[in-house]
Amino acid sequence: METELIAILGLQWGDEGKGKVINALKNEYEIGVRFQGGANAGHTVYKGEDKIILHQIPSAILCTEKEALITCGCVLDLEALINEIEELKKRNINPEGRLFIDERTPLVFDFHKEEDVLENEKKGKIGTTGKGIGPAYRDLIDRKQIKIGEFKNKDFAYRKFKNLWNWASEVIGSRFGRPVKPLDEVFEKHFSLFEKIKDFLTDGIIFLKEKEKQGKRILFEGAQGALLDILLGTYPYVTSSHTITGGILLSTGVPPWRIRRIIGVMKCYTTRVGEGPFPTEEKSEIGEILREKGQEFGATTGRPRRCGWLDLPLLKYAIRITGTTELVITKLDVLSGFKKVKVCTEYELEGRKIEFPPALSDELYRVKPVYKEFEGFEPDEKDKNLRKFLDFIEKETGTKITYISASKGEEIKKVS
Ligand code: IMP
Ligand code: MG
């Protein structure tokens, strides 16, 4: 019998609570896979009172009987990875023998982070996390990157690294008038980091093929969210990876028809970190209340998140581009206390009503949200007003809500 392959993806601009859902559904898979992004992600998971933030390692690692794979769709920051491993070990969670990294995975070097930070100051417009994500993926597309497995041959890696370092020092030198750290220093640093984690390397494509054959259930853990996808997100205010289901196919070799359960995670309101269009943003007191009650501060950078009401045009779009088959709605407790709760049902653009977002960010900046008001509710499934709110979302999106979450803790509730 074929095993079930599951994807858990964010349907907004990240921070939907994917980490929590992945943890709550822990009986439904044996292997967790990260297929895109890097240390820009921050998956917050609570184990009792203990708050753990994972950046690059799949959350599956927290269950000591599970295995975790980082695929080549990611860009790997070795220094950050080693810190994360140390954090886990402090909690008696040992990743050895359970963590695997595809040898094809490209790396994030110090100069990628440097360039990311400098570029962001210069243009000041994307508001990136400063983790080197954009430059690392650019160098991959430009065919200059180094695959982590290439470090197995030090001389070969050095020659390739030299080429990349030359390029980086020209870019940073000419654009920002700054020197980068010396070639040999940076190379040796990354080589010794590599030596610490080389036992985790594997061929990710064969790994997954074998596990599938053994009947293991596999979960693909999305990072960021559909609206941050490099191709279909709110470009250029996006991250540089493929955050949607297509991203899984690109970096795992898993046949498309094998992924039949695609769980889309959404908050019952909307947040965004960094710049870019956000039609339902509340810059007033309401935004402030959502931020405080929802503790909406970046897990990676600590930046305050922009907050606003739920946006159905964007949600419908995200469901479409991810192929979401079921919805999980999180943070319902944050809306309790509001007398009225608003949901954007469509937009007005140049006098026309539209129910799908326009293709271009420039236009998304100009839409006016049209709202429907709901009576306030308690985060309790028996609350009639909550039921109305949930029923409306199901009807509008044509997608079933299978779980809701209404607290910071570990649990999520199955919706009957
Ligand atoms: P980058 O991924 O650091 O290049 O940042 C690009 C955009 O994606 C910025 O708006 C970031 O705030 C946003 N972003 C990146 N990672 C996350 C995340 O894990 N959660 C929320 N937003 C993110
Ligand atoms: Mg996050």
Side-chain angles (χ1 to χ4, degrees):
M1 203 191 72
E2 283 197 333
T3 50
E4 190 162 57
L5 305 192
I6 310 174
I8 295 190
L9 304 174
L11 293 177
Q12 291 156 323
W13 284 293
D15 310 310
E16 300 90 353
K18 297 176 289 294
K20 173 180 179 145
V21 178
I22 290 161
N23 190 44
L25 298 183
K26 57 175 166 269
N27 293 330
E28 311 207 11
Y29 59 94
E30 283 93 35
I31 299 173
V33 179
R34 263 293 293 277
F35 60 92
Q36 44 78 221
N40 50 349
H43 286 169
T44 310
V45 184
Y46 284 87
K47 287 246 161 211
E49 281 298 292
D50 190 19
K51 178 176 168 181
I52 307 173
I53 301 178
L54 289 165
H55 298 286
Q56 301 186 103
I57 301 179
S59 315
I61 207 74
L62 300 175
C63 304
T64 51
E65 73 285 4
K66 293 194 200 306
E67 293 180 327
L69 172 71
I70 297 174
T71 78
C72 63
C74 300
V75 284
L76 195 62
D77 180 332
L78 292 178
E79 205 164 11
L81 179 72
I82 287 163
N83 287 338
E84 232 171 287
I85 293 171
E86 290 308 316
E87 279 299 306
L88 288 169
K89 284 186 173 167
K90 267 190 226 160
R91 295 177 163 88
N92 289 323
I93 300 171
N94 189 356
E96 273 152 35
R98 301 193 293 121
L99 175 63
F100 299 87
I101 301 169
D102 189 357
E103 292 193 61
R104 299 171 183 82
T105 309
L107 296 165
V108 177
F109 293 105
D110 290 350
F111 44 74
H112 289 133
K113 289 184 260 189
E114 247 171 270
E115 185 189 337
D116 190 12
V117 171
L118 290 168
E119 192 67 36
N120 217 23
E121 281 166 8
K122 187 166 180 143
K123 286 192 289 192
K125 69 171 195 193
I126 309 267
T128 71
T129 60
K131 301 293 178 188
I133 304 299
Y137 278 112
R138 177 203 58 210
D139 289 349
L140 174 73
I141 300 297
D142 203 18
R143 293 155 295 186
K144 289 191 175 67
Q145 257 285 9
I146 295 165
K147 304 295 193 120
I148 186 166
E150 290 174 333
F151 269 101
K152 285 186 299 188
N153 178 341
K154 194 172 180 185
D155 293 338
F156 178 70
Y158 184 79
R159 285 197 299 278
K160 282 199 75 174
F161 183 81
K162 190 170 170 188
N163 189 35
L164 184 61
W165 181 91
N166 277 332
W167 157 259
S169 56
E170 275 175 42
V171 171
I172 295 178
S174 65
R175 224 171 139 65
F176 308 104
R178 293 221 195 163
V180 296
K181 285 187 208 131
L183 168 66
D184 288 0
E185 182 188 322
V186 190
F187 179 77
E188 287 302 333
K189 173 181 160 183
H190 286 94
F191 186 76
S192 60
L193 291 170
F194 162 78
E195 295 231 279
K196 288 190 188 164
I197 54 94
K198 65 181 177 202
D199 291 343
F200 296 122
L201 296 198
T202 192
D203 182 321
I205 305 293
I206 295 174
F207 175 90
L208 285 175
K209 186 169 171 293
E210 294 292 312
K211 296 295 170 181
E212 254 194 272
K213 219 160 86 186
Q214 292 164 17
K216 295 279 200 270
R217 295 171 302 170
I218 301 167
L219 173 88
F220 299 97
E221 309 184 359
Q224 290 88 41
L227 304 176
L228 287 170
D229 182 82
I230 180 71
L231 279 179
L232 300 185
T234 50
Y235 190 89
Y237 307 99
V238 291
T239 189
S240 298
S241 66
H242 300 279
T243 58
I244 54 182
T245 314
I248 302 172
L249 307 178
L250 292 171
S251 72
T252 64
V254 165
W257 63 85
R258 295 283 287 111
I259 308 171
R260 282 193 297 267
R261 186 173 180 205
I262 303 168
I263 303 172
V265 185
M266 55 179 279
K267 276 194 283 225
C268 53
Y269 52 97
T270 311
T271 64
R272 160 161 223 171
V273 215
E275 299 306 308
F278 182 171
T280 60
E281 180 170 18
E282 285 288 334
K283 290 187 176 149
S284 60
E285 203 196 340
I286 289 169
E288 204 53 53
I289 297 171
L290 290 172
R291 183 156 41 251
E292 283 309 314
K293 282 191 80 175
Q295 278 305 295
E296 297 293 355
F297 299 90
T300 300
T301 58
R303 288 180 292 175
R305 297 180 185 139
R306 299 157 63 195
C307 298
W309 298 112
L310 183 62
D311 183 325
L312 286 182
L314 281 173
L315 181 66
K316 288 180 195 169
Y317 176 74
I319 289 173
R320 167 70 194 175
I321 64 176
T322 51
T324 288
T325 58
E326 63 187 273
L327 292 171
V328 177
I329 304 191
T330 64
K331 299 193 103 164
L332 284 162
D333 53 323
V334 175
L335 290 187
S336 85
F338 280 100
K339 274 217 172 67
K340 301 276 182 192
V341 167
K342 293 209 281 185
V343 173
C344 165
T345 54
E346 55 188 349
Y347 301 142
E348 239 177 64
L349 180 63
E350 283 144 16
R352 284 181 305 125
K353 291 254 172 78
I354 49 175
E355 58 168 282
F356 237 48
L360 306 175
S361 281
D362 169 51
E363 290 169 330
L364 191 58
Y365 264 121
R366 287 187 279 122
V367 302
K368 298 229 155 38
V370 179
Y371 287 107
K372 178 176 164 67
E373 270 194 354
F374 289 81
E375 295 299 321
F377 47 75
E378 286 310 307
D380 172 354
E381 217 205 315
K382 289 182 214 85
D383 187 310
K384 281 204 190 68
N385 291 337
L386 173 62
R387 202 57 250 187
K388 277 187 195 153
F389 177 79
L390 298 178
D391 286 348
F392 184 74
I393 295 170
E394 281 193 335
K395 189 167 136 277
E396 286 291 303
T397 61
T399 312
K400 199 164 170 28
I401 299 166
T402 50
Y403 292 92
I404 53 174
S405 141
S407 70
K408 240 173 33 171
E410 284 184 60
E411 282 86 55
I412 59 176
K413 288 183 213 140
K414 199 160 178 67
V415 182
S416 45

